[in-house]
Amino acid sequence: MPGAPAPAGATSDDITPAAVRQQSIALVDDDRNILTTVSIGLQAEGFATRLYTDGEAALKALLDNPPDLAIFDIKMPRMDGLHLLQSLREQSSLPVIFLTSKDEEPDEALGLAMGADDYITKPFSQRLLIARIRAILRRSELAKTTNEGSARENLPEPVLRGRLSLDPARHQVTWDGEPVSLTVTEFLILEALALRPGVVKSRNQLMDAAYSEDVYVDDRTIDSHIKRLRRKFRAVDPEFTAIDTLYGAGYSFTDG
């Protein structure tokens, strides 16, 4: 197993260099004990880790050299996790998991509305954290499928629904020809709705589409992602109404 994380004074480090590419996880938390514990656990599962104790320094590094996934604490000095996510989402759809305390539920809901892919409440088990990470990374890898070489013929076809164009192979979405940047989770929820226009999908069905079987999320997680989807499309088209709510039943996508 790789050695322990770098000394606490370091702002960031690539902890586990390797000859072959490892999936990398960035950890941003001002609690160095949590950084050390989580980093060692991730390394034991084969991940490379980068550690940041400061949100401002983390933001620059995440944009300059993106990892495969990032984990943010919410409560941090200078730039907290919410502001870090907000700044990151202006330029990147990097998958993000929030670590929250039980008394931070409003922040947790806000984080999901701002574009976090998942959250985990402290105290948490390493097994749960690893399961959530692997689930999001699996979805992210599927979204990054390219049309190179022999894989071309196996690519899913673009989904065209009225003014919506959704290309699963390239993780690209446009509305009226204007690009809309979505996180992996948002993309999968939209895809599930757009594949069956007019059909009401329950929150449980959307959870199944966006999350693996070993990950549980509650209703408000889906609601937060839907709110953010609408907000992103309305930034392109203020009259966007293609995602309908049927109260008590779920959501549907309307062609047109």
Side-chain angles (χ1 to χ4, degrees):
M1 181 178 102
T11 14
S12 72
D13 267 307
D14 285 341
I15 302 300
T16 54
V20 295
R21 183 186 179 280
Q22 293 175 291
Q23 290 178 307
S24 59
I25 311 294
L27 306 174
V28 189
D29 197 317
D30 63 323
D31 186 328
R32 294 183 173 113
N33 290 328
I34 289 180
L35 282 179
T36 300
T37 301
V38 174
S39 179
I40 290 174
L42 291 176
Q43 290 172 16
E45 294 292 327
F47 295 105
T49 57
R50 308 174 188 175
L51 310 185
Y52 305 91
T53 58
D54 179 276
E56 291 182 356
L59 177 62
K60 184 177 187 306
L62 294 175
L63 292 173
D64 290 347
N65 184 22
D68 293 285
L69 180 145
I71 301 173
F72 298 166
D73 185 31
I74 287 184
K75 300 298 185 184
M76 295 185 293
R78 297 183 62 188
M79 178 183 283
D80 64 23
L82 293 173
H83 285 94
L84 175 57
L85 177 64
Q86 183 180 36
S87 298
L88 181 68
R89 282 292 174 256
E90 292 174 357
Q91 303 180 61
S92 171
S93 58
L94 174 74
V96 171
I97 296 175
F98 264 134
L99 295 182
T100 70
S101 299
K102 289 184 178 179
D103 60 352
E104 294 171 353
E105 289 188 357
D107 289 342
E108 162 196 302
L110 179 58
L112 289 169
M114 290 167 59
D117 291 275
D118 207 344
Y119 68 90
I120 296 178
T121 302
K122 301 175 183 176
F124 57 89
S125 72
Q126 286 280 66
R127 180 180 299 177
L128 173 64
L129 178 61
I130 296 297
R132 297 286 182 92
I133 288 172
R134 293 198 187 282
I136 292 175
L137 288 176
R138 283 196 297 270
R139 302 192 323 254
S140 182
E141 288 302 313
L142 286 174
K144 291 177 181 176
T145 303
T146 65
N147 60 353
E148 296 178 358
S150 61
R152 184 187 303 267
E153 62 188 34
N154 298 320
L155 289 177
E157 292 293 324
V159 178
L160 303 177
R161 297 287 184 265
R163 290 176 283 172
L164 175 71
S165 173
L166 186 151
D167 189 344
R170 297 169 182 81
H171 190 71
Q172 293 176 351
V173 176
T174 62
W175 180 260
D176 274 344
E178 294 293 325
V180 182
S181 178
L182 302 182
T183 67
V184 174
T185 304
E186 292 163 356
F187 187 96
L188 291 172
I189 290 172
L190 177 63
E191 182 182 32
L193 293 172
L195 285 173
R196 299 287 303 279
V199 175
V200 176
K201 294 277 189 175
S202 70
R203 291 174 177 84
N204 284 338
Q205 289 173 317
L206 293 177
M207 290 177 198
D208 290 343
Y211 294 88
S212 65
E213 294 180 358
D214 54 0
V215 175
Y216 171 78
V217 295
D218 59 24
D219 288 355
R220 67 183 172 181
T221 303
I222 296 298
D223 293 341
S224 293
H225 288 309
I226 292 289
K227 288 178 183 178
R228 183 159 178 86
L229 274 168
R230 286 173 171 153
R231 188 178 303 121
K232 287 184 174 183
F233 278 94
R234 285 171 183 162
V236 172
D237 175 9
E239 303 301 318
F240 176 83
T241 58
I243 298 178
D244 291 333
T245 301
L246 184 60
Y247 291 98
Y251 300 95
S252 67
F253 182 87
T254 303
D255 254 338

